[in-house]
Amino acid sequence: MINKISSVSNVVRQTKFNPQTNVKNSVSSPYSYSEFATLPLGNIYGAKINFSGRKKRTAKTNPAQELFLQASKNQKPSVDRWTLEHLYYGVNRPDKKWVGGVEPREVLNRNLKDAINSVLTLVYDENIPNKIPCNIKTPNYGDNWGRHANYIEINNRALGEMYGDRTSSSILGAIKLLPLIPPSHDKWANCLLVSQLYPNIWGDGWNNNGENSLYGIKLEYERASDNIGWVKVGNKVFTPEEQIKAFNDLAHLRGFKTSFRMLISEDQIKLGDSGQFRWNNPEHVEAFIIACCKGIELGFDGIFFDSLKHVGGYDWGHYAGVGAVPSYDQMAYILAEVRKRTGRSDISFSGEKAEGDSMRYKNMGVTAGASQMSVNSVDEVKNSAHSQAWCHDFAWGPVVSDDNDEGLICYSDRLNKINSSLFGYDSVEEKLPSFMQMHDLFPLNYSTNTHDLMMENRNFSTDGTPKSHYDNLFASGAVERKYRNQVSEKFAWAYNHNPN
């Protein structure tokens, strides 16, 4: 991590945490972990996190269906001809298709009705049902799907509607982007990793003020992130929860898995507006578990943990977060509790730079690690895949770029890394997880980069409208058009790469 938070207190500001101070680099609790499970849920130190358990979906409570009805003024779903005119297919795989050869701004500037019809057209071709299915299940790739997945991080905040200095509807922007993303393989999933679920500590819902880093969050879902916001569509106001569920349902319908980012550095977490988070407080640990469970309840299939490598003070000399991190036993307990309480054994827990000692992460309950391994050639990735083939529960894999990316990698190198990530295996059972950013598929405006957009919410509009922001968020020159097509070609050939 590099400068992962713009401000944390009056004392600590954009600094690397020093384990030699009186704050320990990882904490050990005086409480037994079994005691945590007996603590009361919700309203812990003002956290206002409400986890009510898993709910059965019905036709009356399906957010994706209701979102479409309101966006379409109660019309039935229909074939989106624009989508059919811009289809990109997998090599020898006509069933693997997505929208290609267009600018990202074209899909972001479409209305919500057309965006959802586009998703349905990709899924059903001409045989679109009269309504969106009531109970959409996550694609089944087995319990250990995350060990082989390609994680594609989507900065939903950057996709929000920008009105002057305010931001909202970021999840609806992510829904509009869905048709552009290549689908999953038969044997491995593409997992969409959402950058923001919970509110950021400073300037949530605002932009261009320099104080709204996504590396500081509030565990407070009763007052959800204003970057997602309460949004009126048609005659109904949709809560952030409803929008997130709709996003997950539509992503699942397209065959994607989904995940969200969480922080573990305690000085980068607050419990609502009430006070600083502390790992040596069992009630705070409980609040963190509830927050993780809440995300899974909203339909996500996994969680990506920032700074995961450093749990227990591991490799502390390279830690760049702010504040203590959980002890090893604490993190193992947290991951086990999330699986237990949600009733899902298929959750993928992935994390930053979790590499090297496979047994350490496997026993912690981690599924995949974003490593610093070389991605310069397919053979190098294959060799790593062979060396990790013995472990079926965890693997660390190649990174095309991460949230620290400052846009300095040239397009040819990015393309080479994508190639190594998609083809770096001789057996599907050995395939490593890979990690990439939205920028790797759709290059951003030259004046920004992935890390900048994590640190600060920026409005690229020249006339104050959301359309202008979308027009200028991504680079749209001839070089970028060629690069996007080359990325599509890599994925297209990947569906035809199916070694035994």
Side-chain angles (χ1 to χ4, degrees), residues 302-358:
I303 304 173
F304 180 92
F305 294 98
D306 214 77
S307 298
L308 185 64
K309 176 177 184 175
H310 302 291
V311 163
Y314 188 80
D315 191 26
W316 201 248
H318 293 98
Y319 177 60
V322 186
V325 298
S327 69
Y328 183 94
D329 289 345
Q330 269 186 318
M331 200 69 203
Y333 169 78
I334 289 167
L335 302 188
E337 280 297 294
V338 175
R339 288 190 170 107
K340 175 183 176 182
R341 297 188 197 187
T342 59
R344 291 189 59 176
S345 58
D346 66 330
I347 297 174
S348 173
F349 294 124
S350 56
E352 183 182 39
K353 296 182 177 62
E355 60 184 337
D357 187 349
S358 295

Side-chain angles (χ1 to χ4, degrees), residues 215-491:
Y215 299 117
I217 62 171
K218 291 182 182 180
L219 300 184
E220 178 181 28
Y221 206 78
E222 292 293 333
R223 191 182 76 206
S225 170
D226 291 335
N227 295 315
I228 300 173
W230 293 59
V231 179
K232 186 174 183 181
V233 180
N235 296 318
K236 176 180 169 60
V237 175
F238 286 83
T239 67
E241 289 188 355
E242 290 172 321
Q243 295 170 61
I244 293 164
K245 288 178 180 178
F247 166 79
N248 281 319
D249 272 352
L250 292 170
H252 290 157
L253 198 62
R254 275 221 62 206
F256 296 123
K257 289 289 192 177
T258 61
S259 188
F260 65 97
R261 176 180 285 267
M262 281 288 282
L263 307 179
I264 62 171
S265 300
E266 67 176 17
D267 285 339
Q268 295 172 220
I269 304 173
K270 288 188 69 176
L271 291 178
D273 295 316
S274 63
Q276 201 62 52
F277 182 91
R278 288 292 177 257
W279 283 114
N280 59 8
N281 186 322
E283 292 183 342
H284 293 192
V285 175
E286 176 67 12
F288 186 86
I289 294 172
I290 295 170
C292 291
C293 289
K294 182 63 177 180
I296 302 302
E297 168 65 18
L298 292 174
F300 289 104
D301 304 296
I303 304 173
F304 180 92
F305 294 98
D306 214 77
S307 298
L308 185 64
K309 176 177 184 175
H310 302 291
V311 163
Y314 188 80
D315 191 26
W316 201 248
H318 293 98
Y319 177 60
V322 186
V325 298
S327 69
Y328 183 94
D329 289 345
Q330 269 186 318
M331 200 69 203
Y333 169 78
I334 289 167
L335 302 188
E337 280 297 294
V338 175
R339 288 190 170 107
K340 175 183 176 182
R341 297 188 197 187
T342 59
R344 291 189 59 176
S345 58
D346 66 330
I347 297 174
S348 173
F349 294 124
S350 56
E352 183 182 39
K353 296 182 177 62
E355 60 184 337
D357 187 349
S358 295
M359 289 304 297
R360 177 176 187 270
Y361 298 105
K362 169 183 166 67
N363 292 337
M364 193 191 298
V366 181
T367 315
S371 80
Q372 299 179 85
M373 65 180 290
S374 173
V375 200
N376 293 326
S377 75
V378 171
D379 288 338
E380 289 179 277
V381 177
K382 283 183 179 180
N383 289 338
S384 182
H386 293 328
S387 69
Q388 297 185 69
W390 62 272
C391 187
H392 303 292
D393 304 312
F394 169 82
W396 40 273
V399 174
V400 178
S401 73
D402 60 20
D403 55 296
N404 291 320
D405 182 50
E406 296 181 334
L408 302 178
I409 307 172
C410 67
Y411 289 151
S412 60
D413 286 347
R414 288 183 191 275
L415 196 65
N416 187 44
K417 290 184 176 185
I418 291 174
N419 183 77
S420 298
S421 299
L422 293 179
F423 296 95
Y425 62 96
D426 289 323
S427 169
V428 172
E429 290 74 21
E430 293 183 0
K431 183 190 177 301
L432 297 176
S434 74
F435 299 81
M436 59 192 79
Q437 294 289 319
M438 182 170 70
H439 176 73
D440 296 311
L441 274 63
F442 320 114
L444 294 165
N445 184 315
Y446 286 120
S447 69
T448 191
N449 56 64
T450 297
H451 190 238
D452 280 352
L453 293 183
M454 293 294 289
M455 293 292 292
E456 180 182 356
N457 193 21
R458 295 186 60 190
N459 185 353
F460 293 95
S461 176
T462 57
D463 62 10
T465 65
K467 180 181 183 303
S468 181
H469 169 71
Y470 293 144
D471 286 345
N472 295 293
L473 175 61
F474 295 96
S476 57
V479 174
E480 284 72 36
R481 285 196 295 274
K482 179 181 179 180
Y483 172 78
R484 289 196 302 270
N485 287 335
Q486 289 175 321
V487 171
S488 286
E489 288 174 9
K490 293 299 181 184
F491 276 94

Side-chain angles (χ1 to χ4, degrees), residues 78-85 110 114-115 117-118 121 128:
S78 61
V79 175
D80 183 57
R81 297 297 169 185
W82 181 88
T83 296
L84 294 179
E85 293 169 0
R110 302 194 84 200
D114 290 342
N117 272 332
S118 181
T121 300
I128 294 180

